Amino acid sequence: MRKKVIAGNWKMNKETTDVVQFVEEAVASLPNSEAVEAIVCAPFPYLTLLVEKTKGTTLKVSAQNMHFADDGAYTGEVSPVMLKDIGVTHVIIGHSERREYFAETDETVNKKIHAAFKHGLTPIVCVGETLAQREANETKAHVEKQVELALGGLDEKQVAETIIAYEPIWAIGTGKTASSADANEVCSHIRKVVEKVTNAETAEKVVIQYGGSVKPANVDELLSQSDIDGALVGGASLEAASFVKLVEAGAK
Ligand code: 13P
């Protein structure tokens, strides 16, 4: 059985006092279950604080992006070596907001995934279609291409350890959630793509999350689907109480 992975993506939100308050509230009530993994994906300035505050708890800490190089003349960038050095375990790669506003491409996504594995970080790799692509019936073809390019050159073990987040762009921050059936259809397709590029055994292992307006009210329905193994959550992960409810849903 694949475990459920609930990741809260805070995006560019929160200040120190909010971070401290969140962790204190969340770690006091997160379920202690082998069935679920809980991760917070925070802005760079708060990662060290979060690693310190979550020590000895089940809550894991993720970055929201990184550069693919170990070091060098890349002003303003953060490397996988640095993330590993401070105790971060996961990193979001290829979020649609980075693809749209910060020139992230399938090629840089692939380089960053390789760099994450090189340094023992688990990548949470985002894929998903625009509304225009969905309306043109191009969802599966688009997501298939993104997944294939993202996983290019990885070995089976690395693919099995990659977390793939299916986030339809039209559902992000809009309150519009894909129906659980539609979300599951694409997540199943992603699993087939993983099988095509590796094998059935690896495809069975890979965790595929859904993201896009997930909240406590719809998470049970989404997680009950055959190929949805968790959620990548923006808005509803900002409050500790709401985040805990999402993790509790994953532990059911
Ligand atoms: P929302 O949950 O706010 O729609 O954001 C989803 C997302 O982009 C998570 O990475």
Side-chain angles (χ1 to χ4, degrees):
M1 257 273 282
R2 292 182 294 272
K3 73 177 154 199
K4 299 278 194 289
V5 180
I6 306 293
N9 176 10
W10 290 349
K11 307 191 180 182
M12 199 172 72
N13 291 293
K14 292 196 186 288
E15 295 176 22
T16 304
T17 48
D18 312 311
V19 174
V20 172
Q21 194 191 350
F22 179 99
V23 185
E24 285 172 1
E25 265 184 69
V27 297
S29 41
L30 276 174
N32 196 354
S33 163
E34 293 283 308
V36 69
E37 188 164 277
I39 307 169
V40 280
C41 313
F44 290 128
Y46 306 120
L47 291 173
T48 298
L49 174 65
L50 271 168
V51 168
E52 262 168 40
K53 290 260 170 206
T54 55
K55 229 170 236 157
T57 77
T58 53
L59 188 57
K60 302 253 167 59
V61 180
S62 173
Q64 299 174 4
N65 177 44
M66 64 175 200
H67 197 276
F68 47 78
D70 289 2
D71 52 35
Y74 300 105
T75 302
E77 290 293 313
V78 170
S79 86
V81 176
M82 297 168 187
L83 296 180
K84 189 71 189 171
D85 180 44
I86 62 168
V88 163
T89 54
H90 292 69
V91 56
I92 298 177
I93 293 183
H95 192 281
S96 60
E97 286 149 16
R98 296 216 61 86
R99 294 182 193 250
E100 184 176 356
Y101 309 129
F102 302 100
E104 189 83 86
T105 64
D106 288 321
E107 190 189 344
T108 56
V109 165
N110 178 253
K111 283 187 181 171
K112 290 179 181 188
I113 298 169
H114 280 272
F117 280 118
K118 180 176 168 198
H119 297 287
L121 298 164
T122 301
I124 302 171
V125 181
C126 302
V127 297
E129 81 285 3
T130 61
L131 186 57
Q133 286 168 323
R134 175 153 285 259
E135 285 172 347
N137 212 12
E138 290 166 5
T139 298
K140 285 189 187 167
H142 175 69
V143 167
E144 180 163 344
K145 185 168 155 252
Q146 285 184 316
V147 171
E148 280 181 359
L149 292 171
L151 301 181
L154 297 180
D155 64 33
E156 280 165 25
K157 187 167 171 288
Q158 291 169 330
V159 172
E161 285 171 10
T162 301
I163 297 171
I164 300 175
Y166 166 55
E167 296 205 311
I169 295 167
W170 51 270
I172 295 177
T174 58
K176 287 185 201 151
T177 321
S179 73
S180 52
D182 283 351
N184 194 50
E185 191 181 336
V186 180
C187 291
S188 308
H189 187 67
I190 291 172
R191 202 174 301 286
K192 288 200 190 89
V193 178
V194 174
E195 180 173 347
K196 190 172 86 177
V197 299
T198 55
N199 52 50
E201 199 189 327
T202 305
E204 267 310 299
K205 288 183 191 154
V206 75
V207 167
I208 303 175
Q209 298 174 313
Y210 167 78
S213 300
V214 177
K215 46 188 182 280
N218 60 22
V219 70
D220 286 321
E221 166 77 13
L222 288 158
L223 295 184
S224 70
Q225 301 296 309
S226 60
D227 285 291
I228 301 180
D229 309 318
L232 182 57
V233 188
S237 75
L238 291 170
E239 297 292 329
S242 168
F243 179 69
V244 168
K245 280 193 192 134
L246 298 168
V247 180
E248 281 169 348
K252 279 181 196 160

